[in-house]
Amino acid sequence: MAIEAYKHDMLRCTRCSYCKWIPWENFRNTDFIKGCPSVSRYHWHAYSAGGKFNMALSFLEGRIGYSDSFLDVVYKCHMDGSCDVSCKSVQDIEPLQLMQELRIKCVEDGQVIPAHAAVIDGLRKEDNMLGKPRSERGKWAEGLAVKDLTREKAKVLYHAGCQYSYDEELWPVVRDGLTLLKDAGVDVGIMGHAEMCCGGRAYELGYKDDLDKYAARHANIVKASGVETIVTPCAHCYQTMKVNYDKIGKKLGVEILHITEYLDRLIKEGRIKLNKKVPLKVTYHDPCHLGRLAEPWVHWDGKETKVLGQMIVHDPPKKFRRGAGGVYDIPRDIIRNIPGLSFVEMYRIRACGWCCGGGGGVKEAYPDFAIWTARERIREARAVGADAIVSACPSCKQMFQEAIKETGDDVKVLDIIELVQQSV
Ligand code: SF4
Ligand code: SF4
């Protein structure tokens, strides 16, 4: 779909600004009702989803062209989809898809920013988003007795993802995740140095061809390894393999699970027992890529027709993804089952969660904005009295750790894997 396909949506955007906030029925504390980090930070309508609809329409009709301001609006956005959920609580239009297509159009026209171009150069050379040597990809698993799926067979492929593979501060988490599976008797293996990027972040930056390429490569990995299930501790890899590969018609044809889903299964089967008390008051941050963005893709192949000169009708009727189909209950179930732990919710949760700051290439291009967004979430965690903020994504953990390094806040930042590991 090109941006032209969203012209009706651009015209139907009512300029109501609902996309700037979480849906009103979810307001629980007036200090935490903003939904869009971009417009909250830059205080200018263009940075909101509605503003981007206006801008795209002007672009399409030739009233504006590319400029530094145009690119600033396009790229100072986490692509987290809070706007999409809020807008779709009142409208049947597609803000996030328009933003995705805008980025793809910018890339096609060579309108990229240097920070993103550097990331993509590194990806194309080394098959990872950090531009690190391909040969070091499997180092995180050194010393763990695990099957190497380039030589052996297993039912489950544990896909670490780029960030877990190269960020040494995160290695204890990704290692714990694998250890939990192995100790529960799961027939699991890794690709080690042969693992590669899922292509999801590149797609988010607008580089669609790279998503196509990595989807095809992962199809080959699945075929050659014969695995039945892919389990990943990375929320973004999960969302990419489950949703985006389906969106572009390249489903892998195996079960794709986030590690929280697999751990939950193992806990319910009694193969992981949560015995030890973890005396902490925690809150849970919904990663965007495990929550609203992970809602299964819904294919629609129909046409939009204008009736009575103004109403747009979808024929056949279109089912909209409104964010409710993400993974929300499972992480909370796991947390609530850990003995000794007390759980408190923040004000913006589930489909209305506030972004951690790690998405959309903002971290790479505008680190101050990314940290600002993360600090806002830490402030919310503190407002509900949590001693620890728990998430289920390497990006979230990294962003919150960066934020507290700046503020000196002593809130603990944990991945759900670490909580489970402490309890077994
Ligand atoms: S994008 Fe949706 S919520 Fe935002 S102004 Fe337009 S119609 Fe309203
Ligand atoms: S994706 Fe996030 S940052 Fe971008 S416009 Fe929507 S809510 Fe704002």
Side-chain angles (χ1 to χ4, degrees), residues 36 102 204 233 352 391:
C36 170
L102 254 185
E204 222 169 61
C352 308
S391 194

Side-chain angles (χ1 to χ4, degrees), residues 225-294:
S225 65
V227 295
E228 295 167 11
T229 302
I230 298 177
V231 176
T232 177
C234 173
H236 201 166
C237 295
Y238 168 72
Q239 188 261 353
T240 300
M241 292 183 184
K242 179 180 147 189
V243 182
N244 287 339
Y245 287 1
D246 186 11
K247 178 181 179 184
I248 61 170
K250 295 195 170 157
K251 262 176 112 163
L252 291 180
V254 291
E255 185 181 39
I256 310 287
L257 295 175
H258 185 260
I259 192 160
T260 51
E261 295 176 295
Y262 207 79
L263 291 177
D264 183 61
R265 187 183 285 179
L266 295 170
I267 291 164
K268 286 182 176 143
E269 288 171 2
R271 293 163 69 187
I272 288 180
K273 294 194 191 326
L274 303 173
N275 293 321
K276 291 190 198 145
K277 288 189 176 173
V278 181
L280 265 182
K281 184 174 179 184
V282 308
T283 192
Y284 177 68
H285 165 81
D286 291 281
C288 306
H289 291 93
L290 184 61
R292 55 186 168 240
L293 300 178

Side-chain angles (χ1 to χ4, degrees), residues 122-356:
L123 173 70
R124 290 176 183 169
K125 280 192 198 107
E126 301 290 349
D127 287 325
N128 68 78
M129 290 303 289
L130 289 89
K132 301 272 187 178
R134 186 186 287 120
S135 57
E136 292 175 11
R137 178 128 196 159
K139 264 178 101 175
W140 65 270
E142 274 177 9
L144 293 175
V146 60
K147 284 184 181 174
D148 176 350
L149 296 189
T150 61
R151 291 183 280 108
E152 300 163 89
K153 296 283 177 205
K155 286 190 176 153
V156 174
L157 164 60
Y158 185 71
H159 174 92
C162 298
Q163 201 156 359
Y164 271 134
S165 295
Y166 291 105
D167 185 336
E168 290 190 36
E169 277 189 46
L170 295 172
W171 283 0
V173 183
V174 66
R175 286 170 68 90
D176 279 354
L178 180 57
T179 303
L180 284 166
L181 301 190
K182 283 191 333 120
D183 289 353
V186 175
D187 181 22
V188 61
I190 61 172
M191 291 299 292
H193 298 315
E195 186 184 291
M196 63 185 85
C197 181
C198 63
R201 183 58 57 85
Y203 183 60
E204 222 169 61
L205 303 187
Y207 294 80
K208 183 182 175 302
D209 292 349
D210 293 87
L211 181 72
D212 289 334
K213 178 174 89 179
Y214 287 107
R217 289 191 183 178
H218 280 90
N220 290 338
I221 287 174
V222 164
K223 200 170 165 199
S225 65
V227 295
E228 295 167 11
T229 302
I230 298 177
V231 176
T232 177
C234 173
H236 201 166
C237 295
Y238 168 72
Q239 188 261 353
T240 300
M241 292 183 184
K242 179 180 147 189
V243 182
N244 287 339
Y245 287 1
D246 186 11
K247 178 181 179 184
I248 61 170
K250 295 195 170 157
K251 262 176 112 163
L252 291 180
V254 291
E255 185 181 39
I256 310 287
L257 295 175
H258 185 260
I259 192 160
T260 51
E261 295 176 295
Y262 207 79
L263 291 177
D264 183 61
R265 187 183 285 179
L266 295 170
I267 291 164
K268 286 182 176 143
E269 288 171 2
R271 293 163 69 187
I272 288 180
K273 294 194 191 326
L274 303 173
N275 293 321
K276 291 190 198 145
K277 288 189 176 173
V278 181
L280 265 182
K281 184 174 179 184
V282 308
T283 192
Y284 177 68
H285 165 81
D286 291 281
C288 306
H289 291 93
L290 184 61
R292 55 186 168 240
L293 300 178
E295 181 161 329
W297 187 254
V298 178
H299 291 273
W300 179 74
D301 186 17
K303 61 179 193 306
E304 288 186 336
T305 316
K306 196 178 249 190
V307 296
L308 302 176
Q310 56 178 351
M311 284 170 60
I312 300 294
V313 174
H314 294 103
D315 181 21
K318 180 173 172 181
K319 184 171 175 283
F320 285 82
R321 296 165 69 241
R322 298 181 203 273
V327 180
Y328 302 116
D329 291 326
I330 283 174
R332 288 173 169 80
D333 285 351
I334 295 174
I335 290 169
R336 287 198 178 98
N337 276 317
I338 293 176
L341 188 144
S342 92
F343 177 60
V344 58
E345 289 278 20
M346 287 187 277
Y347 301 109
R348 293 170 288 190
I349 58 169
R350 300 171 74 95
C352 308
W354 177 264
C355 174
C356 73

Side-chain angles (χ1 to χ4, degrees), residues 19 35-39 47-49 52 76-84 95-96 99 292 355 369:
C19 48
C36 170
S38 188
V39 79
Y47 291 88
S48 69
K52 292 187 183 88
K76 280 184 177 162
C77 166
H78 294 298
M79 299 293 283
D80 57 276
S82 168
C83 52
D84 202 70
L96 191 61
M99 289 178 217
R292 55 186 168 240
C355 174
F369 174 29

Side-chain angles (χ1 to χ4, degrees), residues 8 58 93 99 129 182 205 235 317 322 349 372 404 413 422:
H8 279 148
S58 298
I93 57 176
M99 289 178 217
M129 290 303 289
K182 283 191 333 120
L205 303 187
R322 298 181 203 273
I349 58 169
W372 177 88
I404 62 172
V413 179
Q422 285 178 34

